[in-house]
Amino acid sequence: MLTKPARASGFQMRNAVLGSWTRTGLAAAVIVLVLGSVAVLGATGSLGDLRYLNIPLIHPWPPAGYYQNPFNPTNRGDIVSTSQAAKVKGDLIADGQIELQAYRVGDGSLLDGADTGNSLVKLRAALAQNHAAGVSEDFTNQLTSVRVGKLTDPNDASVTWCVEEVGTSRITLANAANGQTIRQYTIRFDDKFWMVAVGGRYLITDAEVQTETVST
């Protein structure tokens, strides 16, 4: 006995039609978005920027695992690896802790674990001056912003990883012999540190320091 093919219910047919129209609508919306972007880029003579067009789920930009270089925001093709930037930032934090300890105890030999190049030369000279004056320095830093990206070191074009730190620092100047406080004051800083890989980690090789005393 032959059985009749089951008929789709009206509800099922409506769902199928609505589902089809929904998919069609989404596809049309994507096409409109793409065509609109192409028209805008064409009008501005920037069709070459199509490869940087951000279309979620289809062509996200920057791609996963990257972000726009904060030191070159107008070039959408200049992107930075998120994981590598995190490594650079983490190593800078560790380097900074070593520097702080070197200043607290007045031991320039500690700087070899944090600095190299111009930075090492300058910090050693500063510690030598403190030693000659019989003083030590302690810093309590409060960061308000940190940016990590690519920016060419003005003293070495081969070095491009840079970290900018903005914040305030409370500085305590003390007598190295007895620890007695000589002076305390607060500065506002906007510093850039250039980082170079040495033995599997990043050391500070150069710095651009801008400070302003805000209280004494």
Side-chain angles (χ1 to χ4, degrees):
M1 180 177 178
L2 297 178
T3 59
K4 294 182 179 180
R7 289 186 179 181
S9 68
F11 177 76
Q12 291 172 324
M13 292 180 66
R14 284 193 298 273
N15 277 349
V17 171
L18 289 174
S20 175
W21 277 109
T22 299
R23 290 191 294 272
T24 301
L26 289 173
V30 170
I31 291 173
V32 169
L33 174 62
V34 172
L35 292 179
S37 301
V38 170
V40 170
L41 292 173
T44 58
S46 303
L47 279 176
D49 290 342
L50 272 176
R51 60 189 181 278
Y52 308 134
L53 189 63
N54 182 26
I55 306 177
L57 303 180
I58 297 176
H59 185 268
W61 192 266
Y66 291 84
Y67 64 90
Q68 178 71 44
N69 182 9
F71 298 115
N72 190 18
T74 60
N75 182 355
R76 299 185 65 189
D78 190 356
I79 56 178
V80 175
S81 166
T82 302
S83 61
Q84 195 65 26
K87 165 69 172 170
V88 172
K89 180 181 177 180
D91 285 351
L92 174 65
I93 292 173
D95 294 342
Q97 291 303 309
I98 294 172
E99 289 182 348
L100 290 176
Q101 182 61 15
Y103 270 90
R104 288 189 190 106
V105 301
D107 185 355
S109 67
L110 296 177
L111 295 172
D112 291 333
D115 297 84
T116 187
N118 291 336
S119 183
L120 182 59
V121 171
K122 291 178 181 178
L123 292 187
R124 277 180 174 169
L127 280 176
Q129 288 180 346
N130 282 356
H131 181 73
V135 299
S136 64
E137 287 183 274
D138 196 8
F139 301 79
T140 302
N141 298 326
Q142 183 67 46
L143 296 177
T144 56
S145 71
V146 179
R147 297 195 301 169
V148 185
K150 295 294 190 75
L151 182 67
T152 301
D153 181 350
N155 297 311
D156 186 347
S158 68
V159 178
T160 57
W161 275 111
C162 181
V163 183
E164 181 185 43
E165 293 186 338
V166 178
T168 59
S169 182
R170 184 66 175 171
I171 301 174
T172 301
L173 195 66
N175 186 308
N178 57 27
Q180 183 176 356
T181 298
I182 299 172
R183 180 190 175 200
Q184 286 186 322
Y185 59 102
T186 300
I187 63 170
R188 182 181 295 115
F189 61 83
D190 183 349
D191 300 341
K192 292 184 177 70
F193 302 94
W194 280 271
M195 312 292 290
V196 64
V198 178
R201 65 186 302 269
Y202 285 90
L203 302 182
I204 303 168
T205 187
D206 220 340
E208 181 181 281
V209 177
Q210 298 181 40
T211 63
E212 174 190 3
T213 302
V214 293
S215 68
T216 57

